Amino acid sequence: MTENAQQQPSAPDTELPTQYAPADVEGPLYERWVERGYFEADEKSDKPSYTIVIPPPNVTGSLHLGHAFEHTLIDALTRRKRMQGYETLWQPGMDHAGIATQNVVERELGKEGKSRHDLGREAFVERVWQWKAESGGQISGQMRRLGDGVAWSRERFTMDEGLSQAVQTIFKRLYDDELIYRAERIINWCPRCLTAISDIEVEYQDDDGELVSLKYGEGDETVVVATTRAETMLGDTAVAVHPDDERYKHLVGKQIKLPLTDRTIPVVADEHVDPEFGTGAVKVTPAHDPNDFEIGQRHDLPAITVMDEHAVITVHGPFQGLDRFEARSAIVAALRAEGRIVAEKRPYVHSVGHCSRCKTTIEPRLSMQWWVKVGPLAKAAGDAVREGKVKIHPQEMQKRYFDWVDNLHDWCISRQLWWGHRIPVFYGPNGEVVCVGPDEQPPGTEAEGWKQDTDVLDTWFSSGLWPFSTLGWPEQTESLAKFYPNSVLVTGYDILFFWVARMMMFGLYAMDGTPPFHTIALHGMVRDQFGKKMSKSFGNAVNPLDWMDKYGSDALRFTLARGANPGVDVPIGEDWVQGSRNFANKIWNATRFALMNGATVDGPLPSQERMSATDRWILSRLNSVVAEVDALYEDYQFAKLSDALFHFAWDEVFDWYVELSKTTFQAGGEPAEVSKRVLGEVLDVTLKLLHPVVPFVTETLWTTLTGGESIVIAEWPKDSGFRDTAAEQEIETLQSVITEVRRFRADQGLQPGQRVPARLTLDGTALAPHEAAIRQLLRLQPEGESFTATATLPISGAEVALDLSGTIDVAAERKRLAKDLAAAEKEKSQATAKLGNEAFLAKAPDNVVDKIRGRLAKAEEDITRIQAQLDRLPEA
């Protein structure tokens, strides 16, 4: 086990309050950790490094359960590594969150009756910085509440000067390598936010819409197409059919009339069309649909934009000026009047994309934007995992990763916002296009006709640089040399495609083929106790601060960690947090008992020869748990390691070893002194093992027990290799005796504290030294002169004879049990008869048959149990 002398500057204060009050402890304790610099990282240290970056929360955000869950896992990893002697960096920071932050500030301006255009670009950006200073970043205070051990002195912001330099540097390099280009393509457009948005910022939901079948052309040259967006037909430039579809071969290459317009459009053959879906013919609107855009490219079709940035119709007189939804109704009415409507289906439920920020329906829109050519970058990101440079955990998530990076489309990186990293490209008076690096001057002034691109970069562009930009890149800093690549990335599987893939692409590109992290550890989403997604609209969203206020931060952390199976969603309910609070109280009370009874960490452990079997058993189990927890940490099995610690601490240490030690302490002498040292050792190690997940209560108890400075910087336990299988078997036998007698007492209706005369026959068994403990734990008083063995329990080679004559009415108990036995036998008979009836089995649903089989099994189990109870009772 570990030596503690180096961590004992003073004698421990063994006084603990009778109850643990998290609210009194957590805040001051956390500030003490920060003041002492425990969470800071030194790039000059010769210790091995361990680095994790925080998935940067939005500056507009607040701590939600998803954050609390993820931060708990990261904090557990970094606290353990710090205790293991690593130079540990948990890098904190926040994302500028372009759209979300701009929306917040625009709403504030709206309350003043102003818009950003009233201020102008520079003044608006200054207003955003002012808002950030005053109101942004409340999540930092909430992270402190949770106990996040981050290096606060290194906190970064994606818009700070250093990170802005990194963004401009990599943009310039990618541009010069022809991996960034400008082109007109279909993007997700939000008519409310007036910007392109990324795929991750689109939320899909089932909406009630309409499916309208329209007749194009005349006479024999008629084609029926179906659409949910009738307003886009004004921009149709073709009808497409499959090349092998015999129904339309006579039309391919011909021009047909487009209703409501004076245009004709061609019928083209394209393999993208599914001949089995609908009529096998589709309208093609290249400027307003990504698939249609691709068809248009293949067939050299014009792309006609029929809506402006506000999604208002801009073409064709009668509908010009109408909002897209108003136009939809008006166009359907006009088509109906011309007899062009073949069928209408309302409501037609279909998946529709919405802006995650403002919930406006997304409009696919042809737009001139900046793009990253991801082909070579994505290949490198895929190869890094295939070649084993980066491991994805759990391994089954690799397939999803490959499915994404192997089929990645070019990435739209421009946003039509004012808040964000301005695209460093300038346009000259004669059509010049110049990309400017961070140390370069613009090619000219506005007076000379030079203008900078008005767009800013997608937020994911800057957050994709996070693992190295936060360490000072593009400068070759000591921090970069020490802490890159990161040891592990802990993040949700939901942003595997968006954030993780981008960090992989940029890290490999910028850092000469060195990936940004060795391991990607993916976790699931937090859900309510019924497995349902948490949402304000569902009424099941939880503010983690409420649970921390009520039960303490440790209780919330332990509940989240105990549900964290790799890559699997995590259900959580308040009663589970309450249960974890009870566990924290159990740790507190058990340690308080130990201190009151002289448990100590002073000096080396006594020799094995001086220890009792109980002492050797708990030390053997302790070492096994140390080894088990270490292995589970390395495999990111937080749920399993938390469960192992829970059952070891509660069941084995508190419920068995502490209880068995009470007899030893009462007897005094050398055995008591030995057990006090063993109990001190067990608590010392158990508290250290628990500390990464439940840091506050373990710090308070450990410093009181040991007198050490802080458990945060204590040495992580090591498995000494000590195992004593004989002692483990002996105590397992003792546990089985006590458990069996307790069960019998409960079956007879005896109260837990009720004393019963008993004769123990233990000679010749390993239980002989444990008679005092058996009697104390089972409330068995010595047999008197009038002792009569009314029940005899042979268990594990020993015999426990009980005199129940003065404690229960044997005749009444036999009568009660006989009644229960008759009921169980009747249930068995009925279930057996049904299962033996072939006619019943042929007609009954499977679930009904399964239920009856369950009833039969339960009845048989009850018969065995009741008969055993009757056999143990004396004759009345």
Side-chain angles (χ1 to χ4, degrees):
M1 309 311 296
T2 58
E3 290 294 332
N4 295 288
Q6 68 210 22
Q7 298 155 357
Q8 296 170 22
S10 61
D13 176 8
T14 57
E15 292 295 320
L16 281 173
T18 55
Q19 290 184 322
Y20 177 48
D24 297 338
V25 170
E26 293 174 352
L29 197 54
Y30 185 84
E31 292 309 315
R32 193 182 316 146
W33 289 335
V34 173
E35 288 166 9
R36 293 178 177 178
Y38 293 153
F39 304 140
E40 295 303 322
D42 181 6
E43 60 269 13
K44 300 182 187 300
S45 167
D46 58 3
K47 297 178 183 178
S49 65
Y50 186 81
T51 315
I52 297 181
V53 294
I54 194 171
N58 288 352
V59 68
T60 58
S62 60
L63 195 73
H64 57 64
L65 270 179
H67 288 127
F69 172 55
E70 187 167 78
H71 290 199
T72 294
L73 304 187
I74 298 175
D75 198 40
L77 290 173
T78 52
R79 283 180 183 269
R80 172 174 173 263
K81 286 296 183 180
R82 191 177 294 113
M83 295 172 76
Q84 286 183 314
Y86 286 77
E87 193 62 35
T88 302
L89 170 60
W90 183 7
Q91 173 67 54
M94 285 183 291
D95 192 284
H96 65 278
I99 295 178
T101 305
Q102 180 157 320
N103 281 348
V104 168
V105 178
E106 286 196 81
R107 282 196 295 270
E108 293 295 316
L109 284 174
K111 295 175 184 177
E112 302 170 15
K114 299 178 182 177
S115 74
R116 61 183 164 119
H117 300 286
D118 294 323
L119 272 66
R121 184 168 193 142
E122 288 188 16
F124 176 77
V125 170
E126 181 58 36
R127 180 70 176 259
V128 180
W129 279 108
Q130 180 184 339
W131 173 87
K132 191 244 178 200
E134 296 173 355
S135 307
Q138 62 172 313
I139 202 168
S140 297
Q142 296 165 339
M143 287 166 60
R144 292 170 182 265
R145 281 289 314 276
L146 190 65
D148 286 3
V150 299
W152 286 112
S153 69
R154 293 172 174 264
E155 186 173 13
R156 303 303 299 270
F157 180 55
T158 50
M159 285 284 285
D160 68 29
E161 184 177 351
L163 269 64
S164 295
Q165 183 183 24
V167 168
Q168 195 170 353
T169 298
I170 202 163
F171 187 100
K172 170 70 171 173
R173 291 187 186 179
L174 289 164
Y175 182 88
D176 289 346
D177 287 344
E178 298 184 350
L179 293 173
I180 282 183
Y181 64 94
R182 194 168 183 243
E184 197 173 38
R185 299 274 185 84
I186 293 285
I187 45 87
N188 300 308
W189 181 264
C190 176
R192 155 60 184 80
C193 299
L194 298 179
T195 181
I197 66 173
S198 66
D199 291 338
I200 198 173
E201 292 163 322
V202 179
E203 292 180 349
Y204 287 90
Q205 67 185 48
D206 286 341
D207 286 358
D208 285 346
E210 60 182 2
L211 182 66
V212 182
S213 297
L214 314 176
K215 184 170 61 176
Y216 287 11
E218 304 289 350
D220 293 337
E221 298 180 353
T222 296
V223 180
V224 175
V225 299
T227 181
T228 57
R229 302 170 66 221
E231 66 279 10
T232 64
M233 59 87 58
L234 299 175
D236 287 357
T237 56
V239 170
V241 298
H242 193 274
D244 299 331
D245 195 331
E246 294 294 335
R247 293 172 295 177
Y248 301 113
K249 281 205 169 184
H250 68 290
L251 289 178
V252 173
K254 292 187 176 181
Q255 296 280 329
I256 61 174
K257 178 170 172 46
L258 179 66
L260 305 183
T261 72
D262 57 2
R263 292 191 291 118
T264 60
I265 56 177
V267 177
V268 299
D270 195 281
E271 292 191 351
H272 169 77
V273 180
D274 179 2
E276 303 298 322
F277 183 77
T279 63
V282 295
K283 58 192 286 298
V284 181
T285 321
H288 292 279
D289 183 276
N291 293 322
D292 292 2
F293 179 80
E294 298 295 333
I295 294 175
Q297 292 287 294
R298 287 193 289 271
H299 298 277
D300 198 25
L301 299 174
I304 301 174
T305 299
V306 298
M307 289 180 229
D308 65 11
E309 60 186 8
H310 297 279
V312 171
I313 301 298
T314 58
V315 298
H316 203 70
F319 311 109
Q320 193 168 357
L322 294 181
D323 167 84
R324 54 184 163 163
F325 300 120
E326 296 172 335
R328 181 177 299 173
S329 299
I331 287 170
V332 169
L335 289 167
R336 189 183 298 113
E338 287 192 4
R340 294 281 179 175
I341 301 295
V342 176
E344 297 179 70
K345 184 175 181 181
R346 294 189 187 86
Y348 178 72
V349 178
H350 62 131
S351 182
V352 178
H354 295 260
C355 175
S356 63
R357 303 299 177 189
C358 66
K359 310 309 176 187
T360 301
T361 300
I362 290 301
E363 191 63 44
R365 186 169 189 256
L366 186 63
S367 179
M368 182 66 76
Q369 302 286 344
W370 285 94
W371 304 81
V372 171
K373 187 184 294 182
V374 299
L377 302 174
K379 183 181 184 304
D383 289 346
V385 175
R386 287 189 176 92
E387 295 167 5
K389 294 179 182 177
V390 179
K391 294 180 180 177
I392 294 180
H393 187 86
Q395 192 171 1
E396 54 265 26
M397 286 286 181
Q398 281 191 9
K399 183 180 184 301
R400 296 180 65 178
Y401 176 78
F402 292 136
D403 286 346
W404 179 258
V405 297
D406 293 347
N407 298 285
L408 203 56
H409 297 295
D410 285 0
W411 169 23
C412 176
I413 55 171
S414 46
R415 299 290 180 268
Q416 290 64 54
L417 304 171
W418 288 356
W419 173 243
H421 295 103
R422 189 93 173 258
I423 287 178
V425 172
F426 290 79
Y427 306 105
N430 300 310
E432 302 96 332
V433 180
V434 178
C435 180
V436 176
D439 300 321
E440 299 172 348
Q441 293 297 319
T445 65
E446 285 197 23
E448 296 169 336
W450 286 87
K451 291 186 178 180
Q452 185 175 358
D453 196 298
T454 57
D455 289 352
V456 300
L457 287 163
D458 177 12
T459 298
W460 296 103
F461 191 94
S462 52
S463 60
L465 314 180
W466 192 248
F468 52 93
S469 64
T470 52
L471 298 173
W473 187 90
E475 302 298 324
Q476 296 305 305
T477 64
E478 288 182 292
S479 289
L480 191 64
K482 179 71 174 179
F483 296 114
Y484 187 91
N486 295 180
S487 305
V488 60
L489 174 74
V490 179
T491 192
Y493 63 69
D494 59 323
I495 56 174
L496 172 64
F497 314 132
F498 305 101
W499 187 45
V500 179
R502 281 152 174 70
M503 285 190 290
M504 287 285 284
M505 291 191 295
F506 281 166
L508 290 160
Y509 173 80
M511 300 300 292
D512 299 320
T514 302
F517 18 73
H518 297 302
T519 301
I520 301 167
L522 298 170
H523 59 73
M525 305 296 102
V526 178
R527 298 182 177 273
D528 71 13
Q529 64 196 88
F530 305 108
K532 190 175 181 180
K533 179 181 177 181
M534 285 192 171
S535 165
K536 290 181 180 178
S537 60
F538 293 156
N540 63 350
V542 174
N543 183 344
L545 293 175
D546 293 340
W547 281 353
M548 286 192 278
D549 288 343
K550 197 170 182 179
Y551 302 111
S553 298
D554 285 334
L556 177 63
R557 289 171 61 115
F558 192 71
T559 305
L560 291 166
R562 205 172 174 194
N565 290 297
V568 178
D569 288 345
V570 183
I572 184 172
E574 184 170 0
D575 54 338
W576 302 344
V577 185
Q578 185 174 350
S580 295
R581 188 271 313 273
N582 296 343
F583 179 51
N585 289 343
K586 185 80 171 181
I587 303 170
W588 182 273
N589 293 333
T591 307
R592 187 167 177 272
F593 164 84
L595 290 168
M596 291 171 62
N597 283 275
T600 180
V601 296
D602 291 339
L605 280 170
S607 64
Q608 295 177 32
E609 292 73 20
R610 295 172 59 199
M611 292 183 193
S612 67
T614 309
D615 294 330
R616 296 195 307 277
W617 159 72
I618 197 63
L619 289 176
S620 180
R621 287 292 304 127
L622 181 66
N623 276 283
S624 294
V625 169
V626 169
E628 181 183 7
V629 168
D630 273 335
L632 291 169
Y633 260 116
E634 295 305 316
D635 199 33
Y636 305 100
Q637 297 281 357
F638 297 98
K640 290 182 179 179
L641 72 88
S642 299
D643 210 48
L645 285 170
F646 174 86
H647 287 293
F648 174 71
W650 192 307
D651 300 345
E652 298 185 73
V653 179
F654 306 149
D655 278 359
W656 283 109
Y657 184 70
V658 168
E659 290 300 315
L660 289 169
S661 298
K662 288 180 179 178
T663 308
T664 308
F665 293 155
Q666 289 171 1
E670 185 186 9
E673 295 307 309
V674 170
S675 289
K676 288 175 184 178
R677 179 65 187 89
V678 171
L679 179 55
E681 182 75 10
V682 171
L683 286 174
D684 172 26
V685 174
T686 302
L687 290 171
K688 288 175 180 175
L689 292 174
L690 284 165
H691 172 72
V693 180
V694 284
F696 294 107
V697 68
T698 51
E699 168 82 334
T700 306
L701 295 175
W702 186 85
T703 52
T704 304
L705 172 71
T706 68
E709 180 185 339
S710 173
I711 197 172
V712 176
I713 54 172
E715 184 180 348
W716 182 256
K718 294 183 177 69
D719 174 14
S720 70
F722 173 72
R723 302 289 190 278
D724 191 327
T725 54
E728 289 194 35
Q729 289 173 359
E730 182 174 325
I731 301 305
E732 285 174 11
T733 302
L734 173 62
Q735 290 171 331
S736 68
V737 169
I738 293 172
T739 301
E740 190 63 27
V741 176
R742 280 176 173 166
R743 185 181 294 120
F744 176 75
R745 287 177 54 111
D747 287 343
Q748 308 312 314
L750 297 176
Q751 295 300 314
Q754 189 172 351
R755 293 197 163 273
V756 178
R759 180 175 64 236
L760 306 183
T761 306
L762 308 175
D763 294 344
T765 73
L767 297 173
H770 302 288
E771 179 168 352
I774 292 173
R775 286 189 177 277
Q776 179 165 316
L777 291 176
L778 291 173
R779 305 294 191 269
L780 303 179
Q781 62 191 41
E783 56 189 294
E785 293 182 1
S786 60
F787 178 83
T788 302
T790 58
T792 302
L793 309 176
I795 311 168
S796 302
E799 187 176 274
V800 180
L802 304 174
D803 183 355
L804 304 178
S805 56
T807 55
I808 64 170
D809 183 337
V810 175
E813 185 63 14
R814 277 192 164 277
K815 185 176 181 181
R816 182 185 70 79
L817 290 172
K819 183 178 179 181
D820 290 347
L821 181 62
E825 288 174 337
K826 181 179 179 182
E827 176 73 1
K828 176 184 177 181
S829 176
Q830 291 175 342
T832 301
K834 284 192 174 182
L835 293 173
N837 185 334
E838 294 296 335
F840 170 76
L841 292 176
K843 294 180 180 179
D846 290 344
N847 65 318
V848 173
V849 175
D850 289 343
K851 187 175 181 180
I852 293 171
R853 288 194 179 117
R855 284 169 48 195
L856 176 60
K858 175 69 167 54
E860 290 174 336
E861 182 183 310
D862 288 345
I863 290 168
T864 301
R865 176 181 55 81
I866 297 166
Q867 190 61 59
Q869 290 176 242
L870 281 167
D871 292 344
R872 288 169 177 167
L873 282 175
E875 295 297 327

